[in-house]
Amino acid sequence: MDLRLIRYFLAIVDAGSVSGASQALFVTQPSLSRQLQRLEGDLGQPLFDRGRKRLVLSAFGQAFLPIARDLLQHAELAAASARALASGQAPKLTIAAPPATIIDIVAPFIARSGPSGAVVDAIQLVPEHVYTALHDGSADLALSTRVPPADLEWRVVGYTHPWAQCTPTYAQLTSFDRISVVELVSWPLIVMTKGHAIRGLFDDAVARAGLTYEPAYETASNSVAQALAAAGRGVCILSDHSRFGLHAIPVTSETGELHIPLYAAWVPRHFAADAIEGSLDALGGFIEQLYSLDP
């Protein structure tokens, strides 16, 4: 199968039209249409329903789409593998992760790894899009608190913990070495919006304790949550390291300290699998050490 035709097909799907794909590919529309027809001839089925005003995938096209993306992804991995082998150089890895994970974990890990470290770059993505960077080939590794999809290799590389963060003026809180959710719910709380892993973990712990609470503030931004706490508007619940001079106290439940698994994922048969495994071993030790310290 001609991978160039696969690339053309995916470009048409992503652009939503032959004209849009032709501009992105710098290929004329008639030529692109002919190449699409050639691919359909090779496959023996139409990829699009042409009886409609706009371009819509046929049932066969919808079924073939993930196969096409997988084919192209593996072809790109094979090309990257060949380049790495030809150069004789150690693989250089890129990690995709949410911004807070890059700031708190990935960047310090790169700094600690020294000149021989395999991880050399990071892509900031919202948690729900982190694993797509593996499928499109823009990253070699992905870190997220979300469970990876079944088509990826993965392992738990460490655990992050929620902290109650507040200004030193909250003297009753800052005197604690640990603080339970039972004690926290009586304070004005600044929490992440629902859908964030840290919010779900905290809410579940509160519910298990048979309690409820009304947030003082909800925000989708970790930095804004810390800024609100620094402004004296309440106590923020985050897994991020403290900033703005905030004092951080580990949060516990009736079953002990709370934690969130941090998953590392990569595509199966990645050409740099050995480098990935070695980097994850080092990253796991780094995270364990990192979260054994005060934030």
Side-chain angles (χ1 to χ4, degrees):
M1 186 171 293
D2 190 338
L3 290 175
R4 180 172 56 95
L5 302 184
I6 298 294
R7 289 190 178 90
Y8 287 171
F9 165 63
L10 294 177
I12 294 170
V13 172
D14 293 338
S17 67
V18 174
S19 61
S22 70
Q23 294 176 8
L25 295 169
F26 300 101
V27 176
T28 65
Q29 289 189 48
S31 175
L32 192 56
S33 296
R34 286 194 299 271
Q35 299 302 328
L36 177 60
Q37 290 171 1
R38 178 184 163 191
L39 177 61
E40 290 176 321
D42 291 343
L43 296 171
Q45 293 285 340
L47 292 165
F48 296 94
D49 289 333
R50 289 175 169 77
R52 304 187 183 187
K53 292 183 178 179
R54 61 187 183 88
L55 204 60
V56 178
L57 282 169
S58 66
F60 177 79
Q62 291 174 351
F64 181 68
L65 180 60
I67 298 172
R69 293 198 188 280
D70 187 63
L71 280 171
L72 196 57
Q73 177 193 5
H74 281 87
E76 290 170 350
L77 285 175
S81 177
R83 289 193 297 269
L85 290 171
S87 68
Q89 297 178 350
K92 302 300 182 184
L93 305 178
T94 296
I95 290 181
T101 303
I102 291 176
I103 293 170
D104 286 343
I105 297 175
V106 177
F109 173 70
I110 292 174
R112 180 73 65 85
S113 299
S116 62
V119 178
V120 298
D121 199 5
I123 301 172
Q124 296 188 17
L125 295 170
V126 294
E128 56 266 31
H129 293 158
V130 163
Y131 296 125
T132 62
L134 300 179
H135 292 125
D136 65 23
S138 58
D140 305 290
L141 264 172
L143 297 179
S144 178
T145 54
R146 296 183 177 231
V147 178
D151 63 328
L152 296 175
E153 299 281 354
W154 61 270
R155 65 191 258 196
V156 174
V157 73
Y159 297 89
T160 60
H161 305 273
W163 305 86
Q165 302 183 17
C166 59
T167 64
T169 56
Y170 285 76
Q172 289 177 274
L173 286 181
T174 56
S175 62
F176 286 102
D177 292 328
R178 301 283 188 275
I179 187 164
S180 71
V181 295
V182 175
E183 296 163 313
L184 273 174
V185 293
S186 62
W187 293 85
L189 297 180
I190 303 162
V191 295
M192 301 301 293
T193 50
K194 291 183 177 179
H196 286 77
I198 189 66
R199 173 69 183 274
L201 180 73
F202 183 75
D203 285 358
D204 288 347
V206 171
R208 285 197 304 271
L211 301 170
T212 61
Y213 73 100
E214 188 67 31
Y217 297 93
E218 291 181 276
T219 176
S221 168
N222 308 53
S223 297
V224 169
Q226 291 181 319
L228 288 169
R233 300 194 183 192
V235 181
C236 69
I237 309 298
L238 292 173
S239 59
D240 303 47
H241 287 188
S242 61
R243 298 179 180 87
F244 307 125
L246 294 174
H247 184 83
I249 311 114
V251 178
T252 64
S253 69
E254 72 281 0
T255 58
E257 287 191 13
L258 300 172
H259 64 265
I260 306 170
L262 183 62
Y263 299 94
W266 63 99
V267 297
R269 302 178 299 279
H270 193 289
F271 76 94
D274 290 343
I276 288 173
E277 291 282 3
S279 294
L280 290 181
D281 290 341
L283 181 61
F286 177 77
I287 292 173
E288 183 177 4
Q289 181 184 34
L290 185 69
Y291 284 98
S292 69
L293 303 175
D294 291 335

